[in-house]
Amino acid sequence: MMKRHAEPIQSAQNPKVKLWVQLLDKKGRDKQSAYLVEGIHLVQEAIRFEAGVQTLLYSAERGMPAEIEALLDSGAVAECIPVSEQVLAKCSDAQTPQPVIAIVNKAGGEAERLLVREDSLVVVVDGVQDPGNLGTIIRSADAVGATGVVLGKGTVDLYNPKTVRSTMGSLFHLPVVEADLLPLLAKAREQGVRLLNTSLQAKQSCYEADLTGPVWFVLGNEGKGVSPEVAAQIGEHVIIPMKGPAESLNVAMAATVLLFEAMRQRGLNK
């Protein structure tokens, strides 16, 4: 049963507040195995998709947003605590603090479960550094109904507040898991998964490649691309044809093109 606190927490020096503030930093998130979700829309999605909301902070001055109040009978929230505007500002990295912040447990899950699907469509991210790029990749994967997203070492923290915001809630809609890529990709290849990435030297267009079977798109760092060790695991390369003089697309846009072409092909073959 959800616990509702009647008395607001006013001081930013409160011990609970100090713990919540630590979640703005990766070290604190790792230690507490939790992260912050800010804003009405993102908190709605976290509750609707039962993402593991442990605590809901809301402005004592502005009150609980009606959109959130309507979801609280679902049992997906452990406790609700009214707090001062000062506390909200302290727990936020946004310029304008939102009226509600959720403390959410980090999701678990093993990347190997993505191998179960015979027609798996997965995005593997190797060292992408920009939170906006990672968020866009996750949103695009969500939009096409992909099986999941795998994050390799060196990738920007999934639970960075900027990354969470940029997913626009898609983080809660599909599995996004962290993994050691080399053994995972080797196992995927053994099970018949085709590992594919983009290359300006590739002879085959992404529109010519057959993307209907189990396919995992492997995407690399914005500047360096895929690491040499991971690149050695990749069996196929495609090029995204372009009419204009642009040299290439950024990693998030390339992922989106590949994912939507895979969706198009799979939809036509159903």
Side-chain angles (χ1 to χ4, degrees):
M1 185 176 178
M2 182 182 66
K3 181 180 179 181
R4 283 182 181 260
H5 295 253
E7 290 298 318
I9 294 177
Q10 300 284 358
S11 172
Q13 300 306 312
N14 183 287
K16 285 188 174 182
V17 176
K18 290 182 177 181
L19 285 175
W20 298 332
V21 170
Q22 290 177 10
L23 298 178
L24 291 168
D25 181 74
K26 187 178 188 305
K27 185 177 178 181
R29 293 191 290 271
D30 289 345
K31 183 179 179 180
Q32 298 183 45
S33 195
Y35 62 104
L36 298 171
V37 173
E38 300 180 49
I40 293 173
H41 171 70
L42 285 174
V43 172
Q44 279 180 308
E45 293 301 284
I47 295 172
R48 283 175 179 153
F49 287 84
E50 299 183 354
V53 178
Q54 56 174 267
T55 304
L56 205 58
L57 313 178
Y58 66 95
S59 168
E61 181 181 318
R62 290 178 273 177
M64 178 73 75
E67 301 94 325
I68 304 299
E69 185 69 51
L71 299 172
L72 292 182
D73 290 336
S74 68
V77 178
E79 65 175 350
C80 290
I81 304 177
V83 298
S84 66
E85 293 290 330
Q86 180 190 21
V87 169
L88 278 180
K90 192 77 173 176
C91 297
S92 171
D93 79 331
Q95 289 185 343
T96 305
Q98 300 291 326
V100 62
I101 296 175
I103 315 299
V104 183
N105 296 322
K106 281 188 178 183
E110 296 295 325
E112 281 76 9
R113 63 180 170 160
L114 301 177
L115 292 166
V116 176
R117 284 268 298 273
E118 292 183 359
D119 60 342
S120 64
L121 178 61
V122 171
V123 182
V124 179
V125 181
D126 179 29
V128 167
Q129 289 292 295
D130 183 79
N133 281 338
L134 180 57
T136 298
I137 290 168
I138 293 169
R139 288 174 67 184
S140 294
D142 179 26
V144 306
T147 313
V149 178
V150 178
L151 309 181
K153 293 176 182 176
T155 299
V156 63
D157 184 19
L158 173 63
Y159 302 109
N160 178 318
K162 292 182 176 64
T163 308
V164 173
R165 279 198 298 271
S166 67
T167 69
M168 291 296 289
S170 289
L171 166 64
F172 310 122
H173 301 167
L174 79 169
V176 183
V177 296
E178 298 173 332
D180 185 348
L181 295 187
L182 294 183
L184 175 66
L185 296 181
K187 191 171 184 179
R189 289 180 67 183
E190 289 172 6
Q191 297 193 21
V193 173
R194 290 161 55 214
L195 304 179
L196 183 151
N197 81 338
T198 59
S199 169
L200 294 175
Q201 285 73 48
K203 304 298 183 185
Q204 183 176 222
S205 157
C206 63
Y207 304 118
E208 297 168 336
D210 179 4
L211 304 179
T212 57
V215 173
W216 289 19
F217 296 124
V218 185
L219 305 167
N221 176 272
E222 290 88 345
K224 300 176 183 177
V226 174
S227 66
E229 298 81 7
V230 170
Q233 298 279 341
I234 299 170
E236 293 182 56
H237 306 274
V238 297
I239 188 168
I240 299 174
M242 295 179 289
K243 260 189 162 183
E247 182 180 336
S248 63
L249 298 175
N250 94 344
V251 63
M253 293 301 99
T256 301
V257 171
L258 295 173
L259 285 164
F260 274 83
E261 174 57 17
M263 182 184 71
R264 185 191 70 82
Q265 291 186 21
R266 291 162 186 242
L268 288 174
N269 286 336
K270 286 182 180 178

